[in-house]
Amino acid sequence: DHGVAALGGALRWADAYNANQANLARGAAAPVEQLDTEAFAAERGITGRSTWAEHHASAFLSQHGVPVVPQEVVSSADDAVAAANRVGYPVVVKLAADDIEHKSDIGGVKLNLASDEAVREAYDAVVAAGNKAGGEVVGALVQPMRGAGLELLVGIVTDPAWGHVLAVGFGGVW
C-alpha cells in the first residue's frame, strides 16, 4: 500500500512539474521558487561541496519546514552529556565531519546510549574514529534515539541527461 501510494504521489508530482515546465517554455507561468542552497552553503562555509554532512542537510531541511529528528552539534564530551539530558535518553551520538559520508563504516555512530558515562565514551570514540579516518571533524551530533521504523535517505542530483533526479532509499547501514 505504501509503495503504491508513493508511486502515485511521484506520478502526480511529475505531471505537475512537466506541466509547469511546459508553461515556462511558453512564457505562461512564473518559475517555481528555488530554495537558495548556494546562500545557505556560503553561510556555513560549505560552498562547492557535492554532498553536505548530515548536520548541514538537516538544518537546511528544518529551515524550510521539513520535519527532522532534533539534533545538537557538540564539540566536547561535556557538551554531549548536556545535550543528551536536554533531548532525553536514550540517545544516539554520531560523528559530525563534513567529509565523511558513511559514519557507521568507521565506527562513527553509537546507538541507544542510556547514561551520561555512555555518552561521554561515545563522544570520545566517534571523534577518535573521525580523526583516525582523516576527517574534517567538527564534533558530534546528539539526537534522541528513535524506535521502530525506517530510516530514509533522500537526495537530489543533477544528471546531464535526466536533469534533477530525486533519489529515495533506505538509510542507515543500507
Side-chain angles (χ1 to χ4, degrees):
D1 290 347
H2 295 293
V4 172
L7 287 172
L11 289 172
R12 284 188 298 279
W13 180 87
D15 288 344
Y17 177 82
N18 290 333
N20 184 59
Q21 292 301 306
N23 287 337
L24 283 174
R26 291 192 312 270
V32 175
E33 179 186 344
Q34 297 293 311
L35 299 178
D36 195 349
T37 56
E38 291 178 12
F40 180 86
E43 175 185 302
R44 290 186 163 249
I46 55 173
T47 302
R49 292 188 184 268
S50 61
T51 60
W52 290 355
E54 178 179 357
H55 59 283
H56 296 305
S58 292
F60 181 79
L61 292 171
S62 180
Q63 285 179 11
H64 292 90
V66 176
V68 296
V69 175
Q71 66 182 9
E72 290 190 38
V73 179
V74 297
S75 57
S76 73
D78 287 339
D79 290 345
V81 168
N85 282 289
R86 280 190 294 276
V87 302
Y89 285 101
V91 298
V92 176
V93 174
K94 299 178 183 177
L95 174 66
D98 288 341
D99 57 343
I100 297 177
E101 293 180 36
H102 301 286
K103 300 178 288 287
S104 60
D105 291 350
I106 64 161
V109 179
K110 303 297 180 187
L111 303 173
N112 211 23
L113 306 169
S115 70
D116 291 358
E117 187 55 35
V119 169
R120 268 191 183 71
E121 290 173 11
Y123 176 87
D124 292 339
V126 301
V127 168
N131 287 328
K132 183 178 178 184
E136 297 174 36
V137 177
V138 175
L141 299 177
V142 177
Q143 299 173 316
M145 185 77 189
R146 294 297 192 222
L150 296 176
E151 186 172 345
L152 185 65
L153 166 122
V154 179
I156 299 173
V157 296
T158 304
D159 182 88
W162 291 88
H164 293 305
V165 177
L166 176 67
V168 180
F170 291 121
V173 297
W174 303 109

